[in-house]
Amino acid sequence: MNRPLSPALAFAVAAAGIGLFSIMDAFMKSLTLALGVYNALIWRTGVSALFGFGAWAASGARRPTRRGMRLHAIRGAITAAMALLFFWGLARVPMAQAITLSYIAPLLALLLGALFLHERVGRRVAGASLAAFTGVLVVLAGQSQAALGPGALEGAVAVLGSALLYAVNLVVARMQSQAAGPGEIAFFQGAIVTAFLALGAPWLLAVPEAGQWWKIAVAAALATASLFLLGWAYAHGETGYLATTEYTSFVYAATLGYAVFGERLSPYTLAGAAIIVAACLYAARRRDIAQAALEGAV
């Protein structure tokens, strides 16, 4: 599961996974506005579990280990709370702002990865993360001058709470990827999150209108493919190194927010995005991580 491969390849696969997840966010924002956060999430994760089961079956559907099931359950619980907070907030703030607020997660993941997984935080990745965070501050400085809709403050707080949980989620994802294959992770992630959400079904569940089902299916397919790619990437790369790929999601969020929801970009947003992308490219050239991976370090 943790064979030494090129760190650049793991980085590219993780970035592709983040890209698919960002597109899924746009579908989920539309679904949340139409169905509410609970129904948008439970139906998407339910369909994702079906897609994940297909991926798991295609990879052999080996029986999960006890450690793997424990990590699936832990990550599922974290993800359920994290997703509810994020998508509730996403419906109330522009996509680009929600993503910028979530960028505290990779920074926290660097510290958590070093604390719990004994991963090295080299100067290149630490410096790149701080530079990327500077880009986030530039974006927020511009958006603080814009007039946002009702509930924007509550939405921002919800996204920040989600980001805290996401930092823990990144570390658990690293441990999970070493105990299970990508197909197994994709299936149990969807299934367990759906199971947690189903606890509220007697009071909250509603069947979506026919016109919403194609969005649910596409969002589920994107989420499953993203989990598969990220599961593979985190099995072959360090948490702190791969966490920097999270910053690329800003470009997707800003573009989709404008194209789909009419959320306009300011010069601050463009300047911040340039800083973030440059920082990610700088982190991707980290040589000491490449050497550590070749030596089989974790």
Side-chain angles (χ1 to χ4, degrees), residues 27 55 78 140 159 187 194 220 227 270 275 281 291-292:
F27 277 91
I78 294 171
L140 290 178
V159 172
F187 167 62
T194 303
L227 281 171
L270 296 175
I275 295 172
L281 292 175
Q291 182 62 37

Side-chain angles (χ1 to χ4, degrees), residues 31 33-36 39-40 43 206-217:
L31 287 167
L33 291 171
L35 307 176
N39 281 288
W43 288 110
V207 178
E209 297 179 356
Q212 302 296 332
W213 279 104
W214 74 271
K215 296 180 184 179
I216 294 172

Side-chain angles (χ1 to χ4, degrees), residues 237-264:
E238 291 189 357
T239 302
Y241 178 53
L242 296 181
T244 58
T245 62
E246 299 290 330
Y247 294 121
T248 63
S249 63
F250 175 82
V251 179
Y252 297 102
T255 302
L256 291 168
Y258 174 76
V260 180
F261 302 102
E263 300 166 356
R264 303 190 65 84

Side-chain angles (χ1 to χ4, degrees), residues 3-279:
R3 294 173 296 172
L5 294 177
S6 167
L9 177 59
F11 188 94
V13 172
I18 293 299
L20 294 181
F21 222 87
S22 298
I23 298 172
M24 185 274 294
D25 282 344
F27 277 91
M28 284 299 294
K29 177 163 184 170
S30 177
L31 287 167
T32 300
L33 291 171
L35 307 176
V37 63
Y38 176 83
N39 281 288
L41 190 56
I42 191 172
W43 288 110
R44 194 270 289 171
T45 56
V47 177
S48 292
L50 296 178
F51 288 145
F53 181 78
W56 185 38
S59 63
R62 296 181 180 178
R63 182 177 179 179
T65 64
R66 181 176 299 180
R67 179 172 182 266
M69 283 303 303
R70 183 171 65 252
L71 290 171
H72 293 327
I74 292 172
R75 190 181 179 196
I78 294 171
T79 300
M82 177 189 76
L84 285 170
L85 286 171
F86 180 78
F87 291 120
W88 188 88
L90 183 62
R92 288 158 176 79
V93 298
M95 286 187 66
Q97 180 174 340
I99 294 300
T100 55
L101 292 174
S102 72
Y103 283 149
I104 63 170
L107 297 174
L108 293 173
L110 285 172
L111 300 176
L112 293 174
L115 182 62
F116 294 106
L117 303 180
H118 308 293
E119 296 179 352
R120 293 182 294 117
V121 181
R123 292 182 179 180
R124 182 181 290 269
V125 167
S129 295
L130 290 175
F133 189 65
T134 300
V136 171
L137 294 179
V138 171
V139 175
L140 290 178
Q143 292 185 335
S144 66
Q145 303 176 17
L148 300 178
L153 177 60
E154 293 84 352
V157 171
V159 172
L160 285 171
S162 175
L164 291 173
L165 292 176
Y166 192 36
V168 180
N169 184 58
L170 287 173
V171 176
V172 176
R174 170 63 170 161
M175 295 186 289
Q176 184 188 35
S177 67
Q178 295 175 314
E184 179 183 325
I185 291 172
F187 167 62
F188 280 101
Q189 179 84 351
I192 291 176
V193 171
T194 303
F196 276 111
L197 293 174
L199 296 174
W203 302 275
L204 301 173
L205 188 66
V207 178
E209 297 179 356
Q212 302 296 332
W213 279 104
W214 74 271
K215 296 180 184 179
I216 294 172
V218 172
L222 290 170
T224 302
S226 176
L227 281 171
F228 192 92
L229 292 176
L230 291 172
W232 186 93
Y234 273 82
H236 298 90
E238 291 189 357
T239 302
Y241 178 53
L242 296 181
T244 58
T245 62
E246 299 290 330
Y247 294 121
T248 63
S249 63
F250 175 82
V251 179
Y252 297 102
T255 302
L256 291 168
Y258 174 76
V260 180
F261 302 102
E263 300 166 356
R264 303 190 65 84
L265 297 174
S266 70
Y268 288 92
T269 300
L270 296 175
I275 295 172
I276 291 166
V277 172

